């Protein structure tokens, strides 16, 4: 067993660690979210239901710029364990909704480390941290989110690793949109995400070996969620899960694809032009 895995074995003490954050869902945030994603209709106003997954933009960790790590993330060892692996990403989420957040409400996010697991994969050492989030508005539960964060070793093949994978099925419904640097920058600003692979091209290419800026996983998930609602005649899903498989970059379009609703379920995926599946998702209506 490597030194890294021995260190990771000691990190089980972080399981059960909790933090709580609160923030008001302002009309300004609802307006910025609406226009960043080019959603249809008018932005939600005070007292109206906000678009789902806007909670990704709320109650995010805040830290002084001076203590950020080289990749732009907040220094480890606070709420999240100090995993001794240099690369990290939001790999997956499983969400359940129990109602809508209303513009003007105070939103509270209660977070708990549910698990820390070490594995060895084809790319080397991996550590998976599972975080359970409860999203409440004015004391009423509105959503739960089981988030998986993956940490991995340094590697410089991320941009070319997907070239051998076959393109996915075309699906029966699809939409394409450009993954512009403006879109990535705006979404990073909304979520207070300073990970440099999303806005700092010299860093993304020179330090992490990507061919361009990386489209955020939660941005892809949010686009897929609202695409699912559109295909379902405007009805948002009650449950939604997603898992990132390969990166999408800013020099290409993001393709949102589905075969449509099958009973109370809908499978969806993203891909870049001519590329393999980047993210798989499932929407469920209860």
């Amino acid at each position: 067993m490597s030194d890294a895995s021995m260190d990771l074995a000691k990190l089980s003490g972080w399981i059960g660690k909790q933090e709580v954050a609160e923030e008001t869902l302002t009309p300004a945030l609802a307006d910025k979210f609406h226009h960043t994603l080019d959603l249809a209709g008018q932005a939600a106003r005070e007292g109206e239901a906000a678009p789902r997954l806007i909670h990704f933009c709320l109650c995010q960790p805040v830290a002084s710029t001076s203590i950020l790590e080289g990749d732009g993330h907040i220094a480890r060892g606070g709420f999240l364990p100090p995993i001794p692996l240099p690369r990290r990403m939001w790999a997956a989420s499983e969400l359940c909704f129990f109602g809508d957040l209303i513009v003007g409400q105070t939103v509270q996010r209660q977070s708990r480390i549910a698990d820390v697991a070490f594995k060895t994969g084809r790319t080397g050492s991996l550590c998976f941290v599972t975080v359970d989030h409860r999203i409440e508005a004015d004391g009423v539960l509105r959503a739960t989110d089981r988030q998986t964060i993956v940490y991995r070793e340094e590697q410089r093949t991320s941009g070319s690793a997907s070239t051998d994978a076959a393109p996915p099925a075309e699906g029966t419904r699809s939409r394409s949109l450009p993954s512009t640097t403006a879109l990535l920058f705006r979404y990073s600003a909304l979520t207070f995400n300073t990970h440099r692979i999303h806005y700092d091209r010299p860093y993304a290419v020179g330090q992490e070996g990507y061919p361009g800026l990386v489209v955020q996983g939660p941005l892809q998930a949010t686009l897929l969620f609202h695409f699912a609602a559109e295909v379902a005649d405007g009805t948002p899903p009650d449950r939604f899960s997603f898992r990132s498989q390969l990166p999408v970059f800013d020099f290409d379009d993001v393709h949102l694809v589905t075969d449509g609703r099958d009973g109370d379920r809908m499978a969806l995926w993203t891909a870049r032009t001519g590329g393999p599946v980047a993210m798989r998702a499932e929407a469920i209506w209860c």
Side-chain angles (χ1 to χ4, degrees):
M1 181 177 288
S2 68
D3 291 340
S5 63
M6 287 189 289
D7 290 339
L8 290 169
K10 300 176 182 178
L11 297 173
S12 60
W14 256 258
I15 296 175
K17 189 176 180 65
Q18 301 181 57
E19 73 171 5
V20 177
E22 287 188 350
E23 185 174 346
T24 299
L25 201 176
T26 64
L29 175 62
D31 195 40
K32 292 172 184 177
F33 184 87
H34 181 96
H35 287 94
T36 294
L37 299 179
D38 288 320
L39 298 179
Q42 298 295 317
R45 300 175 181 176
E46 186 93 19
E48 297 179 343
R52 290 186 178 177
L53 271 64
I54 197 173
H55 74 272
F56 287 164
C57 307
L58 291 162
C59 307
Q60 294 301 312
V62 176
S64 298
T65 303
S66 60
I67 67 169
L68 297 180
E69 295 185 338
D71 61 2
H73 279 304
I74 295 174
R76 313 171 201 207
F79 173 66
L80 291 173
I83 307 297
L85 295 170
R87 301 289 179 247
R88 55 179 146 169
M89 63 173 289
W90 186 336
S93 270
E94 299 175 10
L95 299 117
C96 294
F97 298 93
F98 306 98
D100 292 312
L101 299 176
I102 304 300
V103 178
Q105 286 184 318
T106 297
V107 177
Q108 183 183 85
R109 187 177 77 168
Q110 304 167 12
S111 304
R112 177 183 179 274
I113 305 294
D115 192 31
V116 179
F118 173 81
K119 296 180 181 179
T120 300
R122 62 181 178 82
T123 59
S125 297
L126 298 168
C127 184
F128 296 87
V129 177
T130 304
V131 186
D132 285 337
H133 303 288
R134 286 175 55 89
I135 311 301
E136 297 185 357
D138 293 340
V140 178
L141 179 65
R142 291 303 184 199
T144 60
D145 180 0
R146 168 158 279 202
Q147 177 188 13
T148 302
I149 303 168
V150 63
Y151 298 75
R152 60 175 174 81
E153 295 184 54
E154 185 110 29
Q155 57 175 322
R156 299 182 61 81
T157 59
S158 301
S160 58
S162 63
T163 55
D164 296 332
E170 292 185 359
T172 58
R173 293 281 298 270
S174 64
R175 172 185 292 172
S176 300
L177 65 154
S179 52
T180 63
T181 54
L183 173 62
L184 271 60
F185 179 83
R186 279 183 156 197
Y187 191 76
S188 283
L190 283 176
T191 55
F192 205 63
N193 178 6
T194 49
H195 194 185
R196 293 169 65 185
I197 63 172
H198 305 307
Y199 62 88
D200 185 340
R201 188 180 304 278
Y203 173 84
V205 175
Q207 296 298 315
E208 297 213 17
Y210 292 111
L213 297 177
V214 179
V215 180
Q216 299 93 329
L219 171 58
Q220 293 182 59
T222 301
L223 293 170
L224 281 176
F225 182 95
H226 290 284
F227 182 56
E230 176 188 326
V231 173
D233 298 323
T235 305
D238 299 298
R239 296 169 61 187
F240 187 74
S241 60
F242 64 88
R243 181 169 297 276
S244 295
Q245 296 186 193
L246 293 168
V248 176
F249 304 105
D250 69 310
F251 51 74
D252 208 344
D253 290 348
V254 178
H255 301 275
L256 314 175
V257 192
T258 182
D259 278 324
R261 188 165 171 174
D262 182 9
D264 61 357
R265 295 173 180 266
M266 183 187 297
L268 305 106
W269 59 94
T270 63
R272 64 179 186 260
T273 304
V277 170
M279 173 179 286
R280 290 196 182 275
E282 182 181 49
I284 300 175
W285 289 261
C286 299

